[in-house]
Amino acid sequence: MFNQRIQRVLDNLEQQGLSQALFCDPTSISYLTGYYTFPHERFFALHLSDRGSTLFCNLLFPDATGHADRVVTFSDTDDPLPLVVEVCDKNAPLGVDKDLAARWLLPLMKLAAAQGFELASLAVDAARSIKDAEEQELMRKASALNDEAMGWLAAQVREGVTERAIAEALLGEYRRLGSDGYSFDPIVSFGANAADPHHEPDDTPFVPGQTVLFDVGCLWNGYCSDMTRTFFTAEPTARQLEVYETVRKANEAAAALVKPGVEFAQIDTTARDLITKAGYGEYFTHRLGHQIGLQVHEPGDVSSSNHDRVQPGQIFSIEPGIYLEGDLGVRIEDLCLVTEDGHEILNHYSHEATVLTV
């Protein structure tokens, strides 16, 4: 049980005018208690209030003793909701997260478990957004493993190999490096396929001369890495090099701006304006980045619509891209940790335009 994290969530709830909340997201429950299980269709929840923490667990789940002030168990033939009602303060509103399914929420409302119900996901999202020293070190390690894996990936490019073959073999390399596996399904794109930002690896064979894009990430003790690099396999044309250098400069200019107090929107705009001035603005088709931690995409994006200010301990991606349909796609992505007076880039694999020998 992580008491400091729980207290931060309780403080956030208080700012929202709430004295209690029920969280059902297994990742958030793990973040707060150190206990993880995936419940499938079964009920699983953590109730928090200033009276303590209560975990609701099916008897089929691993023993949760010690992970909350109180553990309430039930069987498949029991209705867990009356047990929840017993713990809730009926005279106060109950915060719930976005993972509480309607099949549980609606009966709780009929049972008058609380005076009212309010969305409280932000209370735990805001706490998870600020990584403590231990989390930061886990994120550094995950990114270091990803740097090593990128070197391995570059060495796999050879005539005739398919995107799918490299993507599937990557899991074995991550295991060899000691990681827990993928943080998300890898993106391997040859040639024009890289113009699709979320291309799924298929049986496209590599042909010498094509560009190659890898967007990959692994897990280390539950924490995610995420990095993208784009390679050439022949001397790039003037236009290809212009696109690449524009993306590289956008990445580095955005990162240079990061420090506490800067708006996320300003970071996005810095990269977007540079790409627009180069004549490729319409081909940068997504936000600049996303927060990351226990999940590869966590709430709080780096976009022109997010006017929140950057805080120490936050980690997010900076991943500008230019996508020319049917021709070329370039993306360069790093993870950026906000420090007390600036930032730290967690990835160390080179940004320089690289021509692979294949």
Side-chain angles (χ1 to χ4, degrees):
M1 188 164 58
F2 298 101
N3 290 320
Q4 288 185 335
R5 296 177 183 179
I6 288 174
Q7 188 58 54
R8 286 207 303 269
V9 172
L10 289 172
D11 291 344
N12 292 340
L13 288 170
E14 185 178 7
Q15 291 180 16
Q16 195 177 336
L18 294 171
S19 60
Q20 61 176 342
L22 189 71
F23 298 108
C24 291
D25 172 21
T27 303
S28 290
I29 292 174
S30 174
Y31 169 78
L32 294 168
T33 68
Y35 176 85
Y36 180 81
T37 191
F38 187 75
H40 298 283
E41 76 281 5
R42 294 180 171 89
F43 185 76
F44 177 46
L46 172 68
H47 182 275
L48 292 183
S49 75
D50 56 10
R51 292 175 284 115
S53 57
T54 304
L55 261 177
F56 296 90
C57 296
N58 193 292
L59 287 168
L60 293 175
F61 300 165
D63 183 13
T65 301
H67 290 280
D69 295 319
R70 181 185 178 198
V71 177
V72 175
T73 58
F74 52 89
S75 73
D76 272 354
T77 58
D78 296 325
D79 181 358
L81 299 186
L83 302 175
V84 176
V85 173
E86 289 180 13
V87 172
C88 291
D89 180 354
K90 294 185 178 182
N91 298 312
L94 176 69
V96 298
D97 68 8
K98 55 186 177 292
D99 284 56
L100 181 60
R103 65 195 179 97
W104 307 120
L105 173 60
L106 294 178
L108 283 173
M109 295 172 72
K110 287 184 178 180
L111 290 169
Q115 194 178 62
F117 296 82
E118 297 184 24
L119 188 63
S121 297
L122 183 59
V124 69
D125 291 346
R128 283 175 54 182
S129 176
I130 309 299
K131 273 60 178 180
D132 59 30
E134 180 182 355
E135 291 178 291
Q136 292 175 26
E137 194 55 38
L138 292 171
M139 293 289 289
R140 287 189 187 96
K141 177 64 174 180
S143 288
L145 294 180
N146 218 22
D147 283 341
E148 290 191 57
M150 188 61 71
W152 178 88
L153 283 164
Q156 306 311 302
V157 180
R158 62 186 183 278
E159 186 171 3
V161 71
T162 66
E163 296 171 340
R164 194 191 312 276
I166 292 180
E168 291 179 348
L170 176 60
L171 180 59
E173 177 62 9
Y174 277 147
R175 297 290 191 195
R176 187 191 71 80
L177 291 171
S179 86
D180 304 326
Y182 297 141
S183 56
F184 61 95
D185 290 337
I187 296 174
V188 179
S189 305
F190 297 156
N193 286 347
D196 174 3
H198 287 156
H199 173 70
E200 295 184 7
D202 57 27
D203 292 322
T204 298
F206 172 73
V207 176
Q210 290 178 320
T211 54
V212 178
L213 184 150
F214 297 117
D215 184 347
V216 298
C218 64
L219 289 167
W220 177 257
N221 285 5
Y223 282 80
C224 300
S225 59
D226 186 3
M227 176 173 61
T228 306
R229 291 294 185 269
T230 306
F231 298 96
F232 298 104
T233 62
E235 286 301 318
T237 65
R239 188 186 192 214
Q240 288 175 331
L241 191 58
E242 177 188 48
V243 169
Y244 187 94
E245 288 300 312
T246 299
V247 172
R248 181 184 65 80
K249 291 174 183 176
N251 173 293
E252 294 172 2
L257 192 68
V258 176
K259 62 181 179 180
V262 172
E263 287 190 3
F264 284 103
Q266 189 178 354
I267 301 169
D268 179 284
T269 299
T270 296
R272 200 167 301 278
D273 285 352
L274 193 152
I275 290 174
T276 298
K277 288 177 182 176
Y280 295 100
E282 65 182 294
Y283 305 108
F284 179 16
T285 54
H286 54 74
R287 62 189 178 181
L288 182 64
H290 55 84
Q291 293 201 43
I292 183 172
L294 287 166
Q295 294 171 303
V296 73
H297 282 199
E298 296 195 333
D301 62 4
V302 188
S303 73
S304 58
S305 63
N306 185 0
H307 296 285
D308 290 342
R309 295 187 181 276
V310 168
Q311 301 177 64
Q314 291 178 321
I315 300 177
F316 49 84
S317 66
I318 294 177
E319 49 182 300
I322 294 175
Y323 310 98
L324 307 177
E325 186 176 357
D327 182 14
L328 174 69
V330 173
R331 182 165 65 254
I332 300 174
E333 174 188 15
D334 297 306
L335 297 186
C336 183
L337 163 64
V338 185
T339 63
E340 292 296 330
D341 57 0
H343 68 275
E344 174 189 344
I345 299 299
L346 301 187
N347 301 104
H348 302 288
Y349 199 93
S350 175
H351 286 180
E352 296 303 312
T354 301
V355 179
L356 302 178
T357 301
V358 297

